[in-house]
Structure formats: structure tokens, C-alpha cells
Amino acid sequence: MTACRAANLEWIMHSRNLSHHIRPLLDAFLKVSNEDHRGTRLADENHFPPQKPPQNVTLELHIRKLFLDLLKDIPSLAKHSLVSSVPPTVLELEKISISGIIYAREKSLPRDSNIIFRRPGGSSDRVGRIKQIFQSEHVTPGVTFLAVTQHRLVADPIAQGVYRRFGFAGGYLCDHKEDGRQYVIRSTDVISHFARTPLVWEGETLMHALPLNSVCRCCRSPVW
């Protein structure tokens, strides 16, 4: 029913009988209807094609440093032993399918950029947002990398305890804004999307990150 209503509305909004003042409404409708499809399967990719083709870009200096540090930590990723010789030019992607689930950079599909992930070399879960997705011809074929900015976990044990008692399914209480700390991770380091809910705790605006993954997953390790 929702798909039918959306199709009918779009047809009506394209009607020539409508005022040109409707154009901003149509643009907003199309943006909203295509923005939040986290959890869709690979079979639905035809309904949400990339808006832009992959393109060659030069990594920013701090992202390149994080990328090279990752290659040094995991030597098997690089084709050559001299990691520092890897050029800063990469193939930037708008989105990627991981295990049949669509993930995207923040500039393209904001809600599909919210992820729970593992930092390189770590075993605890973190909450963050995808800023960039890229591949390099100088690493093992088929490996995709993501530049991610994290949300800091709230330190208040009382506030956090409300959710921790439910384990992974309870989610995490974080700062509403990103803390500026960035990582470059592999696509295999992504755990799931999360649903983002703003809330206020003792006068401070925070964010609850609810994992959109199987609740049977058990995670008793502390979050960073």
C-alpha cells in the first residue's frame, strides 16, 4: 500500500496542472523516499541505484594517514611491502552492499551512514557515521574501506546502565554530536546500522543508538 500511495503521489506531483511552487515539495518528497532504506537486501538495489558513479579522488591528508596506518597494522592488505609508497588517489564510492545490506556515506544517504563498528585491532563496539567509502588498486582486490567518525559513549554509569542491562540489544547512549575522532576501517569491520533517537538526560542532549541487527547476538565486552 505504501509503495502504491508513493507512486500515485509522485504521478500527481508531476502533473502539469500543479503550480511551480510544488517543485520544492516534490524535491523534498523524492529525497525522503530514497533516503532511509537501511536493511534493504541486494535485490532492492535496482530501486535505489547510486546517484553518482565511482570517481577517482585524492584522500585528505589525515584520512590517508589513517589508511596507511591500517595497512601497516594489517600487512596482508597491501600488495607491496612498502606501504608508504601507496598513492593517495583512490576510487570513491557513494554506497556499498555488505552482506546484502546497503550502507552509504553521510553526504549521500544520511540515515544509511549510521553504523556500529569495530575499530582496527579492537574487540569492542563503537558508534559512528560513514564519511567516505573508497577502494584502492594497491591493496588486495575486493577490499573496501570506510572513513568513519565516532560518537563518544556517555560515561555516566546510571544513564548507560538503563541500556546495558539488555546487552547488545539495548544499544548505546552517546553524545549527540560526533567527537571528531576518526578511523579508517574495512567493510568487514561493520556490524550493523543503528536507529538514532535524540533524547535529553539531565538537561543534556544525547543520542541513543539502537542496533538494527539480530538481537540474539550476545556482546558482554565493554564498549570501548
Side-chain angles (χ1 to χ4, degrees):
M1 286 297 294
T2 300
C4 292
R5 289 169 181 165
N8 291 336
L9 177 59
E10 188 170 348
W11 181 85
I12 292 173
M13 293 176 71
H14 275 103
S15 172
R16 294 184 179 180
N17 296 326
L18 293 177
S19 166
H20 68 279
H21 295 294
I22 298 297
R23 171 54 56 180
L25 179 59
L26 176 59
D27 293 340
F29 168 75
L30 292 176
K31 182 177 180 180
V32 171
S33 64
N34 284 321
E35 180 195 19
D36 188 7
H37 55 276
R38 56 180 179 245
T40 53
R41 290 291 164 182
L42 191 58
D44 291 330
E45 180 71 5
N46 291 332
H47 298 289
F48 301 98
Q51 298 172 346
K52 299 178 182 177
Q55 57 182 338
N56 290 315
V57 300
T58 300
L59 291 175
E60 296 181 12
L61 290 177
H62 66 287
I63 297 297
R64 181 170 186 262
K65 181 181 183 304
L66 293 172
F67 177 46
L68 295 181
D69 288 343
L70 178 61
L71 296 183
K72 291 176 183 177
D73 292 339
I74 311 177
S76 60
L77 288 176
K79 289 184 177 179
H80 310 288
S81 57
L82 189 58
V83 172
S84 59
S85 65
V86 174
T89 303
V90 297
L91 184 66
E92 185 177 50
L93 309 175
E94 189 176 43
K95 60 182 180 177
I96 183 178
S97 176
I98 304 175
S99 299
I101 306 299
I102 296 172
Y103 295 84
R105 60 183 182 175
E106 181 184 9
K107 290 191 298 184
S108 302
L109 299 168
R111 294 186 184 179
D112 281 347
S113 68
N114 297 324
I115 62 169
I116 294 175
F117 66 99
R118 293 278 174 87
R119 68 179 178 82
S123 58
S124 56
D125 299 348
R126 294 178 180 244
V127 176
R129 198 159 211 185
I130 302 172
K131 298 296 184 179
Q132 192 171 20
I133 303 173
F134 63 90
Q135 296 173 339
S136 171
E137 61 180 10
H138 297 277
V139 303
T140 304
V143 180
T144 302
F145 301 91
L146 297 84
V148 182
T149 302
Q150 78 169 14
H151 288 270
R152 186 182 64 85
L153 183 72
V154 171
D156 188 335
I158 298 177
Q160 202 65 250
V162 175
Y163 304 100
R164 278 185 172 171
R165 59 179 174 159
F166 298 106
F168 178 75
Y172 310 110
L173 192 61
C174 312
D175 285 342
H176 182 65
K177 296 182 179 180
E178 300 151 7
D179 67 3
R181 188 167 185 179
Q182 291 186 310
Y183 299 96
V184 169
I185 63 174
R186 301 161 297 177
S187 58
T188 53
D189 296 319
V190 175
I191 296 174
S192 73
H193 281 300
F194 70 84
R196 179 189 186 107
T197 305
L199 53 85
V200 177
W201 176 268
E202 295 185 351
E204 183 180 2
T205 301
L206 303 175
M207 177 193 76
H208 177 244
L210 179 67
L212 299 179
N213 199 7
S214 174
V215 295
C216 66
R217 179 180 179 275
C218 182
C219 178
R220 296 186 180 278
S221 59
V223 181
W224 77 105

